[in-house]
Amino acid sequence: MDRYERTLNVVKALNSFNKGELEDYNLLSSVCEYFDFIKNEDLDDADKRFLLYLSNKAGIPHYYDILTNFNNENSLKIDDENIGLSTISSLLYESTLYTDDNSKLHQYQKEILDLFVSSNQNRFFLSASTSFGKTHLVYEVIKKIKYKNIVLIFPSIALLSENLAKIKEGKINFPIDYEIHTLSDIDNKYGEYNIFIFTPERFLSFLDKNNESLDLDFIFVDEVYKIDNGYIIDDEARENERDVAYRMSIFYGLSKFPNIDILLAGPYIEILNEKSDFYNPSFDLFLNDLGITKLLRNEYEIVKVSQTNIENVNTEITVDGINFNLKGKNTKKKKIQELLDRILIRNENAIVYCNTKAISEKVASEYERSKINTDYIEAFLNHLKNKYDNDWIVIKALEKGIGVHHGVVPKYIQKEIVSLFNNSGSGLDILCSTTTITEGVNTTAKNMIVYKSLKGLGKYAKPLVTFDAKNIAGRAGRFMEHYTGRVISLDSEFISKLNQQGEPIKHKNYDPSQIKNEIDDEMTPSQFLDDRSKERLEEVHKMQNERGIPNNIISQFKAMSKRDKIIIYDKIKLLNSEELKKIKLLIGKLNSPSLRINKEGIQIILNLCFEQVQNENLRGLIENTYFDKFDKRDYSILIVSLNSYLTKGFKGNYEYYYNRYLEEQEKKKLLKEKNGKEFTINYSLIVNKAMRDSASLIFNTFKYQLVKYLGIFNLMYKYIESQRLEITIDEVSGIDKLLIKLEYNAFSEEARIASDFGVPQNIVDYYDSANAMNRKRILDEFDSYERTVFERIKRIIEE
């Protein structure tokens, strides 16, 4: 199709829109396609006037602005002599979308911003495409209403730190000087105006601190679909009970601050009407109960995404302007090689979505590409090679300009890989990722290649649902970077899912058909509780009163039921003097500068909590034992892992797993050879498995699961001791230091912010050191990459 035909088609679409025959979101689609075609064409003054008019008519004047990303030869300035009424009209309209000198909304953001009125209670639920710009809209709401105390809840530490950086670096300019907080235990160190940036878990912890002097007046919850466990894409997030944390954050936030304004937002959330066969009223009931208005904008794709299935394609094919030769390429490996080769020739980038961590590593290792060499990646690579085993796939892939991104790549490495991917000059243009790429990570990907329409593998594999598919596809093309994106699937089921009607979102606490647990009982309106739930609430209330446990104690660690807390309380009360002595010895060692554990003391606590542990991984680590030759007794293997982590950090855990898997392979080799069979030990496989398992243990099991149970023990132990000694609970020594280490891997406020931000451990250690000479020693030992990162984040951390 030539330029004349394309222009004629977009004019027809514009006329249909003006007559009311075409929806505005369909006009967006046509305008996106036209701008994508015209972006590299030579433009005369008439072209510019038409494009300016077209972009404003579509409600996205930014389309005209970003032409300079592609067409540097042409200035976008229109000749003053040729400015007519339509151009003046466009410029006047565009001026209404500016909120200050540096910020301009698109029409559909502005329509939502206009709904927020200072004198009203503003409560909205927004479902929109990934390209809509929801977070940018939130900051405009804050600027408009000038809220005093604000909570922003994001799904991940990565997004938390990304938004912290935006504010600290001045990319977002507020009319009020806000103090920014990201840690939950800030001891009432508030300013007159405050923004709290939390994950759901941090917000719940913040509420536990009894911040009675603070009155919040606005709360924003991102990725709100996570209130429904069936909507959560990432299995680790599901395992770590994110749905409970999200529902609790909204419930307890609004319970404590009943007059608060709220904006709940997420992508592609399916809200069906009452006439639908699959309608579930629970989410509507939730919104109505809290006076929240629905704003549904899923159709407004600000960046148009094309869809192509190549599972059975064995010929030449053109996809959105790129020619791919798939003749004879009958394996996924060969097809991916062809796709990425052609994409890279055009200086574009691509994400390959993979259904497991191991497959994302396999795709990265199989893609054939010469080593790249840029100064910045070289510094990063040298850092990794000095810190980790050089056979690790993350290092091998980076040498070819490929990033591996999944949930158990250490956080600071994930962050750097995404940063390099987003930097068009870095040489890292390919990202092999699991569902983590949809969990609060912003990229500039133009292309999304889908390996398999699944999550997981084997008996753990689950098909992607429509919401999953839309969320993955939505990562192709980024507003202000592209007009269009491409989704190319090697699995036809993915495209099918992408175009099906999705499952409606549900709210467990407003759905009588869903079985509630005791945590849900506390958050469920009485009309949705069955008789068993009501009985449980009465039972637990009676148990609490019989023991005299105050509400401010029992209400902490909300993600664990009150009954389980009471059971742990009872078990602590039954400990004998010898057991209590070993726990005190443990507390003494933990509070020493070296942070060591007493194995017997920690074993007593693990045994005490075991009955309440529901997470299978954590149960296995507690239940399975090893024989300690020195103590001549069995301990949970969790203890040796924990000890390795506390003494040597990540490296200690990696060495433990590497040696364990190597020993298994050596035994297998001996057995095979004894039977006359050859067996070669795959050291690379051992390295990658050890790295995955080490990171999973530290960043998931320790950080989310172990902390929860040890935290309950610590709370109840300190409460019991405070009652016995007739002192305040804060005066009782407990295992707090261990809990902080597991959650943050740091102790000082600066070090914890640095850890959240995603930096190498040496930088965390620098901020954790109170000794000036020790700080200087650590600083002098920074490698070139660490020094670059340190200079980058110093102002953010220290300000």
Side-chain angles (χ1 to χ4, degrees):
M1 189 183 301
D2 63 17
R3 181 168 172 172
Y4 173 79
E5 288 178 292
R6 289 177 184 273
T7 303
L8 184 61
N9 285 343
V10 79
V11 169
K12 287 179 179 178
L14 189 58
N15 288 336
S16 295
F17 170 73
N18 287 333
K19 292 176 184 177
E21 299 169 353
L22 187 72
E23 296 287 353
D24 49 6
Y25 51 81
N26 287 325
L27 176 65
L28 273 181
S29 179
S30 295
V31 172
C32 264
E33 281 188 312
Y34 186 70
F35 267 91
D36 192 58
F37 163 75
I38 206 77
K39 64 180 187 281
N40 293 315
E41 298 283 303
D42 290 330
L43 304 176
D44 60 23
D45 211 57
D47 294 328
K48 294 173 192 175
R49 281 183 281 120
F50 174 66
L51 290 171
L52 180 66
Y53 172 76
L54 188 62
S55 64
N56 278 276
K57 198 68 180 176
I60 319 284
H62 311 68
Y63 287 158
Y64 186 76
D65 301 338
I66 63 174
L67 276 170
T68 53
N69 292 356
F70 312 97
N71 198 334
N72 293 322
E73 297 300 317
N74 290 305
S75 165
L76 295 184
K77 188 176 186 310
I78 296 171
D79 189 337
D80 292 343
E81 294 180 4
N82 290 324
I83 292 180
L85 286 177
S86 65
T87 303
I88 292 171
S89 174
S90 295
L91 293 171
L92 285 173
Y93 169 74
E94 185 176 342
S95 70
T96 67
L97 300 178
Y98 277 91
T99 59
D100 59 40
D101 290 344
N102 302 306
S103 181
K104 179 171 67 179
L105 300 176
H106 58 65
Q107 173 186 317
Y108 310 104
Q109 290 172 322
K110 183 68 163 53
E111 288 171 356
I112 294 169
L113 180 64
D114 288 344
L115 297 174
F116 281 81
V117 179
S118 295
S119 57
N120 295 350
Q121 183 171 69
N122 302 288
R123 292 190 169 183
F124 299 101
F125 159 76
L126 171 63
S127 179
S129 66
T130 52
S131 58
F132 192 86
K134 296 179 284 294
T135 306
H136 180 68
L137 173 62
V138 170
Y139 288 122
E140 295 303 324
V141 169
I142 293 169
K143 288 195 281 187
K144 176 181 178 179
I145 307 296
K146 298 182 177 66
Y147 292 111
K148 191 170 183 179
N149 294 303
I150 298 151
V151 172
L152 308 177
I153 296 179
F154 293 103
S156 67
I157 296 295
L159 270 181
L160 179 156
S161 59
E162 181 182 308
N163 281 273
L164 170 66
K166 281 181 184 177
I167 296 172
K168 292 274 192 175
E169 291 169 353
K171 293 178 181 175
I172 300 163
N173 297 304
F174 296 110
I176 294 170
D177 187 17
Y178 286 101
E179 287 195 21
I180 313 300
H181 312 277
T182 59
L183 305 178
S184 58
D185 51 343
I186 56 177
D187 298 324
N188 296 321
K189 296 176 185 174
Y190 312 128
E192 186 178 357
Y193 298 94
N194 302 277
I195 295 178
F196 302 90
I197 311 177
F198 293 142
T199 60
E201 293 82 1
R202 289 253 177 108
F203 181 53
L204 292 173
S205 177
F206 172 78
L207 293 177
D208 284 345
K209 307 300 179 186
N210 297 312
N211 298 288
E212 300 297 339
S213 62
L214 191 72
D215 188 23
L216 298 177
D217 45 15
F218 178 65
I219 183 171
F220 165 66
V221 182
D222 193 20
E223 309 289 307
V224 74
Y225 62 84
K226 292 179 191 290
I227 65 166
D228 184 346
N229 198 276
Y231 256 70
I232 294 177
I233 296 177
D234 185 59
D235 286 335
E236 282 158 7
R238 184 180 287 112
E239 184 181 86
N240 290 326
E241 300 165 317
R242 295 312 296 281
D243 65 316
V244 176
Y246 262 82
R247 283 186 282 117
M248 282 184 165
S249 292
I250 297 168
F251 174 78
Y252 287 108
L254 270 67
S255 297
K256 189 165 184 175
F257 307 102
N259 297 317
I260 198 169
D261 281 6
I262 189 166
L263 176 60
L264 311 177
Y268 306 115
I269 301 173
E270 196 75 58
I271 307 289
L272 304 181
N273 62 50
E274 295 179 15
K275 297 179 181 179
S276 170
D277 292 339
F278 303 102
Y279 177 67
N280 184 300
S282 59
F283 193 75
D284 278 343
L285 290 167
F286 155 69
L287 295 178
N288 293 337
D289 189 31
L290 299 176
I292 300 172
T293 301
K294 287 182 289 190
L295 306 173
L296 306 182
R297 303 291 189 273
N298 289 334
E299 297 93 344
Y300 292 81
E301 292 283 2
I302 312 301
V303 175
K304 182 179 173 60
V305 178
S306 64
Q307 307 170 13
T308 307
N309 168 47
I310 63 165
E311 181 179 8
N312 299 312
V313 175
N314 191 26
T315 184
E316 292 186 11
I317 184 174
T318 300
V319 179
D320 191 22
I322 304 185
N323 298 318
F324 299 107
N325 184 3
L326 299 175
K327 287 182 180 178
K329 297 176 176 65
N330 51 7
T331 65
K332 287 187 175 181
K333 176 183 174 181
K334 290 179 179 178
K335 285 183 175 179
I336 289 173
Q337 184 75 40
E338 170 68 10
L339 293 175
L340 294 178
D341 283 349
R342 301 295 176 188
I343 286 168
L344 291 176
I345 287 171
R346 288 172 60 105
N347 295 317
E348 294 181 358
N349 60 4
I351 296 174
V352 183
Y353 165 73
C354 303
N355 51 305
T356 70
K357 302 175 187 72
I359 288 175
S360 69
E361 294 177 358
K362 175 175 176 283
V363 170
S365 67
E366 288 181 343
Y367 178 65
E368 296 176 6
R369 188 185 186 192
S370 301
K371 288 187 177 182
I372 63 165
N373 185 15
T374 65
D375 291 342
Y376 193 73
I377 283 193
E378 197 63 31
F380 183 42
L381 269 171
N382 288 338
H383 165 80
L384 295 180
K385 288 177 178 179
N386 288 327
K387 300 290 181 184
Y388 303 97
D389 195 307
N390 287 198
D391 278 335
W392 187 27
I393 183 57
V394 170
I395 294 173
K396 295 287 189 186
L398 275 171
E399 291 179 320
K400 300 186 291 183
I402 303 171
V404 174
H405 192 286
H406 55 60
V408 294
V409 173
K411 303 302 178 188
Y412 85 90
I413 300 174
Q414 283 189 38
K415 182 185 178 75
E416 194 61 61
I417 285 172
V418 170
S419 176
L420 289 167
F421 180 78
N422 288 339
N423 179 354
S424 60
S426 73
L428 197 161
D429 306 303
I430 301 166
L431 207 55
C432 297
S433 177
T434 59
T435 51
T436 54
I437 209 63
T438 67
E439 297 286 316
V441 177
N442 292 319
T443 74
T444 60
K446 168 75 172 177
N447 301 277
M448 173 66 73
I449 298 168
V450 178
Y451 185 90
K452 192 76 175 172
S453 187
L454 290 174
K455 295 179 287 187
L457 189 66
K459 66 178 181 178
Y460 299 107
K462 298 173 185 174
L464 294 175
V465 298
T466 298
F467 171 76
D468 300 337
K470 286 183 176 179
N471 218 342
I472 291 167
R475 306 295 152 169
R478 182 168 175 80
F479 184 43
M480 299 305 291
E481 296 280 344
H482 311 110
Y483 294 111
T484 63
R486 301 183 196 89
V487 172
I488 303 173
S489 180
L490 285 77
D491 184 342
S492 56
E493 182 63 22
F494 182 83
I495 302 297
S496 175
K497 284 289 181 185
L498 201 52
N499 294 290
Q500 289 177 7
Q501 178 179 280
E503 286 287 315
I505 191 170
K506 305 179 184 71
H507 196 298
K508 187 176 183 180
N509 302 111
Y510 288 81
D511 189 346
S513 67
Q514 288 203 44
I515 297 171
K516 313 289 190 300
N517 57 35
E518 291 197 13
I519 296 173
D520 293 311
D521 291 347
E522 297 280 336
M523 299 186 289
T524 301
S526 58
Q527 64 267 37
F528 299 106
L529 288 172
D530 59 20
D531 291 341
R532 178 63 189 123
S533 290
K534 292 174 182 177
E535 288 171 10
R536 284 194 309 230
L537 284 170
E538 290 180 12
E539 285 172 12
V540 171
H541 185 64
K542 182 180 178 184
M543 291 168 70
Q544 179 188 344
N545 287 340
E546 288 172 349
R547 290 154 181 82
I549 304 173
N551 283 329
N552 69 311
I553 297 296
I554 201 77
S555 65
Q556 293 187 45
F557 291 92
K558 293 177 174 61
M560 195 166 176
S561 74
K562 288 182 178 178
R563 186 189 301 271
D564 282 342
K565 295 171 199 171
I566 292 169
I567 290 170
I568 288 176
Y569 170 91
D570 288 346
K571 288 181 178 180
I572 295 170
K573 294 281 282 188
L574 292 173
L575 290 174
N576 60 41
S577 59
E578 187 62 28
E579 290 170 322
L580 286 169
K581 181 180 177 182
K582 288 172 181 173
I583 287 173
K584 290 182 186 298
L585 182 60
L586 167 69
I587 291 170
K589 283 197 168 190
L590 287 173
N591 288 318
S592 69
S594 58
L595 187 67
R596 295 291 181 265
I597 60 172
N598 170 267
K599 287 180 281 190
E600 289 182 298
I602 198 74
Q603 187 68 63
I604 290 167
I605 297 174
L606 294 177
N607 292 343
L608 186 147
C609 295
F610 181 74
E611 186 181 322
Q612 273 58 58
V613 175
Q614 297 179 6
N615 180 269
E616 289 184 16
N617 290 334
L618 184 55
R619 285 184 70 88
L621 288 165
I622 297 173
E623 206 167 18
N624 295 317
T625 60
Y626 77 100
F627 183 73
D628 189 293
K629 295 176 183 177
F630 181 76
D631 287 353
K632 294 184 170 54
R633 58 162 289 181
D634 289 329
Y635 290 107
S636 294
I637 61 171
L638 175 65
I639 293 175
V640 70
S641 299
L642 183 59
N643 194 49
S644 297
Y645 176 58
L646 295 179
T647 54
K648 296 182 181 179
F650 186 94
K651 184 179 180 182
N653 265 115
Y654 169 73
E655 288 174 349
Y656 166 73
Y657 277 110
Y658 180 86
N659 292 331
R660 179 174 151 190
Y661 298 148
L662 179 59
E663 185 180 342
E664 289 173 0
Q665 289 291 296
E666 286 173 340
K667 285 180 181 177
K668 192 171 183 179
K669 178 178 172 68
L670 285 173
L671 187 62
K672 292 281 187 182
E673 289 176 347
K674 190 180 285 186
N675 294 324
K677 297 179 181 178
E678 288 187 9
F679 183 81
T680 302
I681 295 176
N682 188 333
Y683 291 97
S684 180
L685 197 67
I686 294 171
V687 167
N688 289 314
K689 182 169 171 50
M691 286 296 293
R692 287 197 301 270
D693 290 349
S694 300
S696 180
L697 181 72
I698 294 167
F699 302 134
N700 291 317
T701 305
F702 284 177
K703 186 179 179 71
Y704 291 104
Q705 295 297 329
L706 184 59
V707 159
K708 179 169 65 175
Y709 297 102
L710 293 184
I712 293 298
F713 165 82
N714 190 53
L715 174 69
M716 291 305 179
Y717 170 82
K718 289 175 69 174
Y719 171 68
I720 291 166
E721 284 292 282
S722 72
Q723 295 298 102
R724 184 179 69 82
L725 298 171
E726 297 182 344
I727 58 177
T728 67
I729 193 169
D730 291 334
E731 293 176 276
V732 179
S733 293
I735 62 170
D736 305 78
K737 195 173 177 183
L738 174 62
L739 296 173
I740 292 171
K741 173 68 176 176
L742 294 176
E743 184 174 357
Y744 291 99
N745 192 31
F747 298 103
S748 74
E749 184 173 327
E750 286 183 333
R752 282 185 279 168
I753 293 171
S755 180
D756 278 352
F757 199 81
V759 298
Q761 185 61 39
N762 278 353
I763 298 177
V764 176
D765 293 342
Y766 169 87
Y767 283 114
D768 235 353
S769 177
N771 183 288
M773 287 185 65
N774 197 39
R775 275 196 170 193
K776 185 178 184 309
R777 178 189 59 79
I778 295 170
L779 185 63
D780 289 342
E781 291 174 357
F782 283 172
D783 60 34
S784 63
Y785 169 72
E786 289 166 336
R787 191 168 293 279
T788 301
V789 174
F790 178 72
E791 292 300 326
R792 188 197 304 163
I793 59 104
K794 185 164 60 172
R795 187 170 65 85
I796 296 169
I797 304 298
E798 296 177 12
E799 195 173 86

